[in-house]
Amino acid sequence: MQQQKYKKKKFQKHQRSGQQNSQSDFLYNGFLITCDKNREREAVKEAYQIIEQYVELIYPQESQKHEKLLEQNTNNKAIVKMLYNFDTKVKCVIFIRINNQEFPSIDVDELSRIILSDVYEKQQQVARYIYRMIPIQYVFRATLDEFKKHAQFLVNKHFQLDRPHPWFLIFKTRYTDKINKQQVLSILQGLIEPLHYQDWQEPEFVFFVEVNGAIMYINILPKYHEYREYSIRKGGQPVQDIDIPERKNNFVDKIVKKVRCQNEQEVKNVINIQDPNSDFQKKEFFVEQDVELL
């Protein structure tokens, strides 16, 4: 009897805790960030610097409020921040959450638009470790009912009936198989009017959906292809460390290509090769041309 009572109490305890977790509904917004491998710490610091810098430019009142909170944090034990690093449990993927309760006027879409305009229109170098910086309006538990509820808000905001808006779905999933792309697409087709058609080549809006385990991130992104999938790094190439010493053999050799013209004069064209493993170094080049290394 005692064992049965003990088992019954243990089962009820786990059941209550599970009910509390299922009923606790959280809703965040912020930036979903991808970075280079083993550069998560540097990317988090860089994201804090970028967001705080643009918040100071766009929302000066919120920036002053943030400075006052930092002064209060030194005296009080309860720390209140503007930005929080939300653990995604995925390598090279970071989510920076914005404190909406203390800073309700900060709009991630507006912040992202100004940052991307500085990167692509003004040609400013913003990031070193961050590759993509995607604004996210809603972060919630990955269920189809929650997705339908929050997707309806985004559809009503962006898809107006004045003219057709071509759109396309970008769906990514990690560490889960409970939700697939076809389920999400069928829900969106029921929410979006038939006036707005799907176009994967030149979409006006991209409905971005990413599922990492039990968490779902969604938003509607304009100019997705123009901004190179919201990459804030120029060219989208990984950055090499400055601390790495240069090789003694820099392999920047001058290759003199001799070409005989009709008047039997030799013309010397100097070509620089920067990388021995680059695409420029082909076998056909060395076979067809007479090349001499100096």
Side-chain angles (χ1 to χ4, degrees), residues 1 29 31 51 58 64 85 114-115 124 132 155 160 192 198 242 262 267 269 271 279:
M1 293 295 292
N29 67 350
F31 290 92
I51 296 173
I58 305 170
Q64 294 176 1
N85 180 19
I114 296 176
I115 292 172
Q124 294 183 4
R132 299 172 66 193
V155 171
Q160 305 296 329
I192 300 174
Q198 297 188 47
I242 302 176
Q262 294 181 357
V267 179
N269 297 325
I271 302 173
D279 296 335

Side-chain angles (χ1 to χ4, degrees), residues 29-42:
N29 67 350
F31 290 92
L32 189 66
I33 295 170
T34 60
C35 63
D36 296 334
K37 189 176 180 180
N38 300 327
R39 294 295 188 181
E40 287 83 2
R41 292 184 180 180
E42 292 85 351

Side-chain angles (χ1 to χ4, degrees), residues 35-260:
C35 63
D36 296 334
K37 189 176 180 180
N38 300 327
R39 294 295 188 181
E40 287 83 2
R41 292 184 180 180
E42 292 85 351
V44 170
K45 294 180 182 179
E46 190 175 57
Y48 282 174
Q49 293 176 358
I50 294 172
I51 296 173
E52 290 176 358
Q53 177 184 356
Y54 280 89
V55 166
E56 184 179 358
L57 293 175
I58 305 170
Y59 308 101
Q61 296 179 356
E62 300 292 345
S63 179
Q64 294 176 1
K65 186 178 180 181
H66 181 227
E67 293 178 357
K68 292 180 181 178
L69 286 175
L70 292 178
E71 294 177 358
Q72 294 176 2
N73 291 336
T74 56
N75 300 325
N76 300 331
K77 293 183 179 179
I79 299 176
V80 180
K81 300 179 181 180
M82 181 176 65
L83 304 175
Y84 294 90
N85 180 19
F86 184 81
D87 187 12
T88 61
K89 297 181 181 179
V90 180
K91 292 183 178 180
C92 304
V93 178
I94 304 164
F95 182 74
I96 303 299
R97 178 173 70 88
I98 296 178
N99 190 354
N100 295 327
Q101 296 179 355
E102 298 292 336
F103 305 93
S105 61
I106 297 178
D107 187 8
V108 293
D109 290 333
E110 185 178 4
L111 274 175
S112 176
R113 180 181 57 82
I114 296 176
I115 292 172
L116 291 170
S117 65
D118 289 344
V119 172
Y120 289 94
E121 296 177 6
K122 298 181 181 180
Q123 300 295 324
Q124 294 183 4
Q125 188 72 23
V126 176
R128 172 179 173 81
Y129 301 103
I130 296 175
Y131 179 34
R132 299 172 66 193
M133 194 170 181
I134 301 173
I136 301 296
Q137 281 291 347
Y138 298 112
V139 181
F140 48 87
R141 296 192 181 276
T143 60
L144 294 177
D145 294 334
E146 291 291 326
F147 170 73
K148 185 176 181 180
K149 179 176 68 175
H150 298 299
Q152 183 68 60
F153 298 146
L154 294 175
V155 171
N156 296 336
K157 179 181 178 180
H158 293 276
F159 290 91
Q160 305 296 329
L161 296 177
D162 54 350
R163 60 182 180 86
H165 299 281
W167 63 280
F168 187 67
L169 172 63
I170 298 294
F171 179 83
K172 296 181 180 179
T173 179
R174 299 184 181 93
Y175 305 124
T176 182
D177 56 353
K178 295 181 180 180
I179 299 177
N180 55 38
K181 184 177 181 180
Q182 189 60 37
Q183 293 174 339
V184 173
L185 184 60
S186 62
I187 292 175
L188 291 178
Q189 289 175 349
L191 296 176
I192 300 174
E193 295 292 334
L195 174 67
H196 313 295
Y197 58 94
Q198 297 188 47
D199 187 2
W200 64 274
Q201 291 184 345
E202 296 181 356
E204 184 178 355
F205 298 121
V206 165
F207 208 110
F208 181 85
V209 179
E210 182 162 335
V211 184
N212 293 332
I215 310 299
M216 181 178 285
Y217 310 82
I218 66 171
N219 197 9
I220 292 180
L221 308 176
K223 298 182 179 180
Y224 188 76
H225 295 305
E226 293 183 16
Y227 290 147
R228 297 179 184 177
E229 300 179 357
Y230 279 56
S231 172
I232 64 172
R233 186 190 299 171
K234 188 176 180 181
Q237 299 296 330
V239 181
Q240 297 179 355
D241 292 336
I242 302 176
D243 299 332
I244 298 176
E246 295 184 356
R247 293 180 299 176
K248 294 182 179 179
N249 252 342
N250 202 12
F251 205 84
V252 181
D253 299 328
K254 293 183 179 180
I255 298 178
V256 180
K257 183 175 64 175
K258 298 180 180 180
V259 180
R260 291 188 177 276

